[in-house]
Amino acid sequence: MVRAAILPAVGAPLEIRDIVLPDPGPGQVRVRLAAAGVCHSDLSLTNGTMRVPVPAVLGHEGAGTVLAVGEGVTHVAPGDGVVLNWAPSCGQCHHCAMGEVWLCVNALTGVGNVHAHDAQGAELHPGLNVAAFAEETVVAAGCVLPAPEGIPLAEAALLGCAVLTGYGAVHHSAQVRPGESVAVFGVGGVGLAALQAARVAEAGPVIAVDVSPAKEELARAAGATEFVLAGAEGAARQIRALTGGHGADVAVECVGRAESIRAAWESTRRGGRTTVVGIGGKEQQVTFHALEIFHFARTLTGCVYGNSDPARDLPVIAEHVRAGRMDLGALVTDRIGLDDIPAAFDAMLAGKGGRSLVVFP
């Protein structure tokens, strides 16, 4: 028996209770969690924006220690520290063959599997493959990567989603060059990682945009040189004023709301680039007219998992962390327990704080 956060049905509140985990079978790994980050994607599962089979154990951003491995697993062993990878690529589909492993069509096939059972014997699924909101989990071998040396496991949990996504949005999707101006919309966990990544890319100015003035201190600590209130009259005008009257070279949208996507697009210069990281629902309709598309010649791009290859990018990011160019701990504003996850969801909805991190004893 281990404790876990279970989503019993879409729209239902989370339940923190005991589950029964099986021993790892062939090609599987059992992990004791050190920490798990509370991501907006978990919230999107609870409200149905993203759909997976339920009931499910949520949590997809985590790190921990290997307890046991099943037959055929050779890249990790009991006692190893690992980072969970919620979107393992198959290496065989069309996108993987094109080098676009973040678009692998088979990455989420595991969500339909039976992950565990509750105390009454009901089947539970792994929300986004890894079921990290639990004291322990059993995952496919492709869902674990060796944890980088020199980084505490609790902080390494953030590498599993927020940091890979924010870093990749800046370096892979937007391909920010030194000296380019960057505006980051939404200063949550991913937005803070994107601000740090923009600093690593030697961008400037780096402008943070958020609905909460309380986020300014967090944003500046992460690398923002300027702060603009989202929704304020003339926010796009303020960004143009901060970028020589032209607009930002790059905007990174980490909210997933129609008005935020539109504002990010409007804040960029002619020929500018907007990368949308935030996950919005189908009701979030963004409109453009044909003349402005022609006139501004801007680019609007979706971004999945930061267009990252975790096996390739984790060592690169880890080196930035060890060298002091990125600070994982600075993304965390609250260290909590399993029972506090619902309150962390409420804080996300209210736009408060950065990353909440579930830390296991």
Side-chain angles (χ1 to χ4, degrees), residues 5-357:
I6 298 169
L7 176 67
V10 173
L14 285 186
E15 299 177 358
I16 312 299
R17 46 194 171 94
D18 288 338
I19 66 171
V20 180
L21 274 178
D23 293 329
Q28 292 185 320
V29 180
R30 185 164 182 145
V31 177
R32 180 185 298 279
L33 271 296
V38 182
C39 179
H40 202 279
S41 295
D42 298 307
L43 186 60
S44 296
L45 294 178
T46 69
N47 61 28
T49 298
M50 297 171 64
R51 291 194 173 273
V52 295
V54 290
V57 179
L58 297 190
H60 65 280
E61 179 184 87
T65 303
V66 175
L67 293 177
V69 300
E71 181 183 352
V73 177
T74 58
H75 71 296
V76 294
D80 289 350
V82 291
V83 175
L84 299 181
N85 173 20
W86 63 270
S89 55
C90 71
Q92 298 177 344
C93 71
H94 174 76
H95 292 291
C96 287
M98 296 288 290
E100 299 170 338
V101 298
W102 53 91
L103 298 179
C104 175
V105 298
N106 297 309
L108 292 180
T109 55
V111 301
N113 295 340
V114 176
H115 171 70
H117 294 82
D118 67 14
Q120 288 71 45
E123 294 180 345
L124 303 172
H125 301 283
L128 282 178
N129 277 329
V130 296
F133 286 168
E135 294 167 330
E136 297 178 15
T137 188
V138 174
V139 300
C143 290
V144 295
L145 295 167
E149 293 184 5
I151 298 177
L153 273 181
E155 294 184 0
L158 302 171
L159 296 172
C161 184
V163 177
L164 271 173
T165 301
Y167 179 90
V170 169
H171 288 268
H172 301 321
S173 180
Q175 298 183 6
V176 174
R177 298 181 290 267
E180 287 194 309
S181 53
V182 175
V184 176
F185 285 70
V187 185
V190 173
L192 288 169
L195 289 169
Q196 291 197 20
R199 180 173 59 192
V200 169
E202 300 180 355
V206 177
I207 305 161
V209 187
D210 199 275
V211 295
S212 172
K215 295 286 189 75
E216 181 170 0
E217 184 177 350
L218 272 176
R220 290 188 181 276
T225 59
E226 310 290 344
F227 185 85
V228 171
L229 274 178
E233 185 177 349
R237 192 179 307 116
Q238 291 182 59
I239 293 172
R240 286 194 291 273
L242 292 168
T243 53
H246 305 293
D249 295 303
V250 170
V252 179
E253 200 277 348
C254 303
V255 181
R257 296 189 62 84
E259 59 267 29
S260 179
I261 294 170
R262 177 74 202 196
W265 190 80
E266 289 179 351
S267 75
T268 59
R269 63 171 175 82
R270 291 187 74 185
R273 314 185 300 280
T274 297
T275 287
V276 178
V277 179
I279 301 172
K282 294 179 180 179
E283 78 283 358
Q284 297 295 324
Q285 299 289 315
V286 188
T287 60
F288 307 91
H289 62 72
L291 183 59
E292 65 181 326
I293 292 174
F294 160 77
H295 174 74
F296 288 109
R298 294 164 173 152
T299 301
L300 180 67
T301 307
C303 177
V304 177
Y305 206 5
N307 292 11
S308 294
D309 178 347
R312 175 197 66 196
D313 293 328
L314 277 184
V316 175
I317 295 172
E319 183 54 36
H320 288 310
V321 173
R322 287 190 290 262
R325 293 184 290 269
M326 297 186 74
D327 182 358
L328 301 181
L331 306 182
V332 180
T333 52
D334 298 281
R335 293 175 185 261
I336 64 175
L338 270 177
D339 295 308
D340 303 314
I341 294 174
F345 280 176
D346 291 340
M348 276 195 294
L349 283 170
K352 296 179 180 178
R355 207 46 145 205
S356 292
L357 188 67

